[in-house]
Amino acid sequence: MSLLRENRFGISKSLRWTCALGVALPILLFAGSAVHSVAQLPKSAAPLPAKSEPTAPIDPLGRETPRGTMMGLLKYGERRDYATAARYMQLDPSHGMDTVQLAKQIQALRTKFKDNLDILSDEPNGSVEAGLLQGEVRAGVIEVGSTSVDVILVRVDDPESGKIWLISRETVAKIPALYAQMESQKPTVEDRIAAVALSGRQVLGTSVRQWLGWLLSIPTSWLLAWLLAFLLSVSRRVWCKLRGVPCTTIWQTPLGMPLRCIIAILIHAFFVHLLEPPILYRVYYTRFIAALLVASGAWLVSRITDRGFHHAVKHTQAHRAGGESILIVMQRLTRVVMIIIAVVAAMALFGLNVGTALAGLGIGGLAVALAAQKSLENLIGGVSLLMDKAVHVGNSCKIGTQVGTVEDIGLRSIKLRTLDQSLLVVPNGLLAQIQFENFGPRRKCLLSLRFSLRIETQAEQLRALLDRVQIMLNEHPLIETGTSRIRVVNFAGAAFELESSAFVTTADWTEYTAVRQEVILKIAEIVEAAGTQFAAPTQLTYVANDADIDAQKTNDMARHES
């Protein structure tokens, strides 16, 4: 009972997912069927442009491919438009069959049809099958009792519609006998259950009882998925409890939810298979469920790759290899690739022409590339930045006049947390145009000071001060030995200008500023002990007391020179 209480929260959480899926699944199914139905409606013939070569006629009933023929037959049968449904059959005028009656019989036999229409060829030439002639395709099997008849499609040349696919004469000729055999047989238990399920009011060709069974199968599938996950983890929970160690199963990790979704979808598919919906909706349902499985599979693979990248980043950071930024960007690119693959696979499952879509994406991508040159510049700059390993997350950098810590490196920009804790976003393309300094890779920091002493400082005082400052720098524990020096570099007006430099053996900015402060204070103490002072900024002004220039002397000098 304690194990059941542990899963109570998870089950209650799954019920919220159940309600959402219970509403979304029928809506999406209706939308898919509506889209497919609109695509199959007869299209008005557009005026053809003047061409020297004749164009192939377009069949308004969509019979150019084997799959289009079967889908059209089932669609018009569900609409009770038997006259149009009969146009999908290859009739023999010599037999004098009632075409409308044949269409009704085929519609009645639809529950006996055993096969998946999605595996039918969607190419005009069909597919080559063993045991069949060229231009023939096996669409499925109709089973009535111990009798089974292959549904064969044949490609014919229609004067109005060109090359189209129809149900062959041989198959059409066997329909009345199959229908009579089905009517003469006593209904089996499955048939009785199906009759009860199909009785009553119908919505979109499906009874209300079937719709209710479909909707109830959604929460049931989720509950069974949680129960199955619980049962699979019982042995590990018991083993961990007996050993007194913490227990963490795969269902409690980020992989748990995608796995439960896959299990629930498969269970739900089994329940709907038992309900035996009409063939047309069964096709739509199969496509929708396959798309959900693809999405769940992509979700699961994405979670697995995320865990792999997470461990790789931790391993890289532990060994200070400096490649975690590349791994993070690769993780994001992997997610984008997984989404693209899932979308393309879903498009293919829904019967869309993936090749045409990809070609359109290529042309559209070229147009987007021309219109988004700055974005591409930032993208290329981000890739180059990561491949060159110029900066990593956590490095202290100076970009332009801003100093801060790198928080994130993306394909478009780099995010810098400045010293005042504001977030600075710099496009990657801009880094090649401004001054960029990375303080992260350095192992030591340069301490450079420049100060001035009053001109009244005597030479002996100046020598003693230089010696004491040099000794102080040599004895400091965080200043690298042999790199410190202090020199008098110039006369700066009414002052002596001194320059001091040394390397501090630390890469931490906070520790470096503390050492810098300590050295400055000690130099101030040494200057004070030497009996001199720092020079303040001065400006000399000369006041002339001379008389005016003697013009006569100027003229005499000019005559003397000449």
Side-chain angles (χ1 to χ4, degrees):
M1 295 299 294
S2 62
L3 298 180
L4 290 173
R5 284 194 296 270
E6 293 178 4
N7 284 269
R8 184 178 302 168
F9 174 74
I11 294 176
S12 62
K13 185 177 180 181
S14 69
L15 290 177
R16 293 195 294 268
W17 284 81
T18 299
C19 297
L21 286 177
V23 176
L25 185 60
I27 293 175
L28 291 175
L29 186 64
F30 292 156
S33 62
V35 169
H36 193 278
S37 298
V38 171
Q40 293 290 338
L41 288 177
K43 301 177 182 178
S44 60
L48 297 177
K51 291 185 179 179
S52 58
E53 297 180 1
T55 58
I58 299 176
D59 182 28
L61 298 179
R63 296 171 294 181
E64 294 93 347
T65 65
R67 188 189 301 178
T69 296
M70 290 302 298
M71 295 295 292
L73 174 66
L74 295 173
K75 179 188 64 176
Y76 287 107
E78 293 289 341
R79 294 180 180 178
R80 302 294 190 269
D81 187 358
Y82 298 114
T84 305
R87 298 180 62 183
Y88 289 84
M89 296 181 290
Q90 186 184 25
L91 302 175
D92 191 349
S94 61
H95 290 177
M97 295 182 179
D98 187 353
T99 57
V100 174
Q101 184 65 25
L102 277 174
K104 289 182 179 180
Q105 293 175 356
I106 290 180
Q107 178 67 15
L109 290 169
R110 72 188 188 282
T111 57
K112 306 297 182 179
F113 184 83
K114 308 294 181 183
D115 219 321
N116 186 4
L117 297 182
D118 273 334
I119 65 175
L120 273 178
S121 175
D122 202 23
E123 297 293 331
N125 294 327
S127 59
V128 179
E129 296 187 32
L132 296 179
L133 300 176
Q134 185 177 2
E136 293 183 350
V137 171
R138 181 179 289 102
V141 178
I142 299 178
E143 296 182 356
V144 178
S146 59
T147 305
S148 62
V149 173
D150 290 335
V151 179
I152 304 298
L153 301 181
V154 61
R155 194 181 190 195
V156 300
D157 193 359
D158 187 80
E160 298 179 356
S161 304
K163 296 287 186 178
I164 60 174
W165 290 85
L166 299 174
I167 299 178
S168 65
R169 292 190 183 90
E170 293 76 10
T171 303
V172 172
K174 297 176 183 178
I175 295 299
L178 285 175
Y179 179 78
Q181 183 178 352
M182 183 183 69
E183 291 293 320
S184 63
Q185 284 183 346
K186 294 182 179 180
T188 62
V189 176
E190 296 179 356
D191 293 335
R192 292 174 183 174
I193 295 176
V196 173
L198 292 172
S199 62
R201 186 176 179 181
Q202 292 190 349
V203 178
L204 296 176
T206 304
S207 68
V208 175
R209 292 174 181 172
Q210 280 184 306
W211 283 116
L212 290 177
W214 192 338
L215 294 177
L216 288 177
S217 67
I218 298 174
T220 305
S221 302
W222 276 101
L223 292 176
L224 289 178
W226 277 94
L227 180 60
L228 181 60
F230 170 74
L231 294 176
L232 292 176
S233 62
V234 165
S235 59
R236 177 169 176 79
R237 291 175 183 271
V238 173
W239 183 81
C240 293
K241 190 172 184 179
L242 293 176
R243 295 180 63 91
V245 295
C247 181
T248 302
T249 63
I250 191 174
W251 310 104
Q252 297 170 324
T253 64
L255 304 180
M257 184 56 69
L259 287 174
R260 289 191 185 96
C261 288
I262 293 175
I263 295 174
I265 291 171
L266 294 176
I267 295 175
H268 177 68
F270 176 73
F271 283 154
V272 176
H273 174 72
L274 296 179
L275 291 173
E276 293 188 353
I279 300 177
L280 190 62
Y281 296 118
R282 194 188 311 166
V283 173
Y284 303 145
Y285 165 80
T286 303
R287 295 176 180 178
F288 181 73
I289 287 298
L292 285 182
L293 284 176
V294 169
S296 300
W299 186 13
L300 178 62
V301 174
S302 177
R303 287 289 179 88
I304 294 174
T305 56
D306 285 346
R307 294 191 66 179
F309 278 114
H310 178 69
H311 290 303
V313 169
K314 290 179 64 177
H315 178 77
T316 303
Q317 291 175 343
H319 292 77
R320 297 186 179 274
E324 61 273 9
S325 300
I326 298 178
L327 292 174
I328 292 173
V329 174
M330 288 179 62
Q331 179 181 5
R332 296 174 182 174
L333 287 175
T334 303
R335 291 176 182 173
V336 174
V337 171
M338 290 300 303
I339 292 175
I340 294 175
I341 293 175
V343 171
V344 171
M347 291 172 59
L349 290 171
F350 277 109
L352 300 177
N353 193 337
V354 179
T356 304
L358 292 178
L361 288 177
I363 299 174
L366 179 60
V368 171
L370 295 176
Q373 296 182 13
K374 283 295 182 181
S375 299
L376 287 177
E377 179 184 353
N378 294 329
L379 176 63
I380 296 173
V383 173
S384 301
L385 192 69
L386 293 174
M387 294 302 295
D388 294 340
K389 298 184 180 180
V391 65
H392 305 289
V393 175
N395 288 160
S396 296
C397 296
K398 182 178 181 181
I399 302 178
T401 59
Q402 296 289 335
V403 178
T405 304
V406 177
E407 284 196 351
D408 182 54
I409 301 176
L411 291 177
R412 191 192 68 84
S413 62
I414 180 173
K415 296 180 181 178
L416 188 74
R417 181 70 63 179
T418 61
L419 297 179
D420 60 355
Q421 295 304 303
S422 61
L423 186 63
L424 178 66
V425 180
V426 183
N428 293 328
L430 189 62
L431 294 178
Q433 306 173 15
I434 61 176
Q435 185 179 2
F436 174 70
E437 296 182 53
N438 186 7
F439 304 141
R442 65 183 181 182
R443 295 170 294 177
K444 52 188 177 181
C445 300
L446 176 63
L447 174 61
S448 179
L449 300 174
R450 203 176 186 94
F451 57 95
S452 300
L453 298 178
R454 295 181 60 175
I455 197 66
E456 293 83 4
T457 304
Q458 298 178 4
E460 291 299 327
Q461 288 178 307
L462 191 57
R463 288 192 182 94
L465 185 144
L466 293 173
D467 292 339
R468 293 187 62 182
V469 172
Q470 185 66 54
I471 293 173
M472 181 271 296
L473 294 175
N474 293 337
E475 293 179 351
H476 198 287
L478 291 180
I479 292 181
E480 187 177 11
T481 305
T483 62
S484 61
R485 71 176 186 273
I486 181 168
R487 299 288 187 270
V488 179
V489 295
N490 201 0
F491 289 104
F496 294 104
E497 187 174 1
L498 286 76
E499 183 183 53
S500 173
S501 64
F503 281 103
V504 182
T505 57
T506 181
D508 184 40
W509 178 258
T510 304
E511 189 175 8
Y512 164 74
T513 55
V515 173
R516 180 185 178 91
Q517 172 184 281
E518 183 181 356
V519 170
I520 291 174
L521 292 177
K522 287 185 177 181
I523 290 177
E525 292 174 357
I526 293 173
V527 171
E528 184 179 353
T532 183
Q533 294 180 354
F534 292 102
T538 58
Q539 182 177 2
L540 298 180
T541 304
Y542 295 92
V543 180
N545 295 323
D546 301 337
D548 295 337
I549 298 176
D550 192 340
Q552 184 61 37
K553 291 182 178 180
T554 303
N555 294 332
D556 293 342
M557 183 176 290
R559 286 195 299 271
H560 177 70
E561 291 178 354
S562 61

